[in-house]
Amino acid sequence: PEEYVVCRVLQQNADSIIKEYELYEKLSADRFDANHEDHGLVSAPRLRGKWKYLHLLRENEGWDDELCASYFPITCRVLRETAPVDGVLRTDRQGNSLDCTGFCHAMRRPGPVAFYKLEAGASVPLHSGPTNQRLKCQLVVKAPPGGYAWLEVMGERRVVNKGDVYGLDDSYLHQVYNGGGLNKNETRVVLDVSFWHPGLQVIP
């Protein structure tokens, strides 16, 4: 993942981001909801009730300034300063992208920035994103230790642990699982960050 600037940002700031999330859990009422808001997601109806989401950045509404200021100032600042996340693609005078077609024409941003929470014993079946014109990096901010949570992409399964950072082309079929740990009561939470493919020209 180090080849992607977004993954490097998550790695470099992982401790601060995890601390902010842990403090949020202690101080705030649960503001997660079931609205994914990644409108190009394939098989989205099958995912309802699985993941829950806490959005820092919504595709059409922008950053949640209140949530950022109150609980996630470092997280939001470092990602706002990262052009592939919050930058716009080069366009002509008509607003058409100069670098890609299809998915990128329909969206000003590559996708949301959000914490994804998966309860103990829950899984998300095979699904995929809309395009490889955008990629994702994820930071695992909470997970049961001991191999109880995993991510599988195109048949390759990897155990995930707290502090892990990985890149993901979510246009490939993938699925996730959270066994919940020895007592089957631990949630799995990742910070999911969509960003434009490095091959595209992004303007901060």
Side-chain angles (χ1 to χ4, degrees):
E2 291 185 357
E3 65 183 287
Y4 301 126
V5 62
V6 177
C7 291
R8 291 201 303 271
V9 167
L10 292 180
Q11 286 177 324
Q12 292 164 359
N13 295 277
D15 289 344
S16 297
I17 294 171
I18 290 170
K19 287 178 182 177
E20 286 187 339
Y21 179 80
E22 290 173 344
L23 186 60
Y24 165 83
E25 277 201 333
K26 291 179 181 178
L27 299 180
S28 177
D30 188 352
R31 294 166 63 173
F32 280 80
D33 60 49
N35 185 8
H36 190 282
E37 289 205 352
D38 195 345
H39 302 299
L41 192 71
V42 177
S43 301
R46 298 173 59 197
L47 306 185
R48 291 173 184 166
K50 302 294 185 180
W51 284 117
K52 291 185 178 179
Y53 312 95
L54 180 68
H55 287 88
L56 302 180
L57 171 68
R58 296 178 185 270
E59 290 178 29
N60 297 322
E61 300 175 20
W63 292 92
D64 186 324
D65 291 330
E66 185 275 328
L67 192 59
C68 286
S70 298
Y71 300 104
F72 301 102
I74 296 174
T75 304
C76 293
R77 176 178 57 79
V78 298
L79 292 175
R80 275 175 154 160
E81 294 172 353
T82 306
V85 175
D86 202 31
V88 295
L89 298 176
R90 294 191 311 157
T91 58
D92 60 22
R93 292 182 179 180
Q94 287 73 43
N96 299 313
S97 171
L98 296 174
D99 300 297
C100 61
T101 60
F103 176 87
C104 64
H105 274 230
M107 303 181 66
R108 193 178 75 83
R109 293 184 175 91
V113 173
F115 291 95
Y116 288 17
K117 179 165 67 174
L118 192 64
E119 299 293 345
S123 62
V124 180
L126 285 171
H127 61 289
S128 66
T131 178
N132 64 1
Q133 293 174 349
R134 68 100 187 265
L135 302 173
K136 287 176 175 281
C137 283
Q138 294 186 341
L139 164 65
V140 183
V141 300
K142 188 175 183 180
Y148 285 91
W150 50 257
L151 165 71
E152 183 177 297
V153 182
M154 294 296 291
E156 181 179 342
R157 182 174 297 182
R158 293 190 178 183
V159 170
V160 297
N161 294 292
K162 180 179 177 180
D164 287 350
V165 175
Y166 47 85
L168 170 67
D169 180 347
D170 76 329
S171 67
Y172 290 102
L173 284 171
H174 58 284
Q175 59 184 332
V176 295
Y177 173 73
N178 176 26
L182 286 174
N183 297 319
K184 302 187 182 303
N185 62 353
E186 298 184 54
T187 57
R188 173 182 183 260
V189 181
V190 300
L191 176 59
D192 179 274
V193 182
S194 299
F195 62 99
W196 291 119
H197 191 286
L200 304 178
Q201 298 296 313
V202 181
I203 303 172

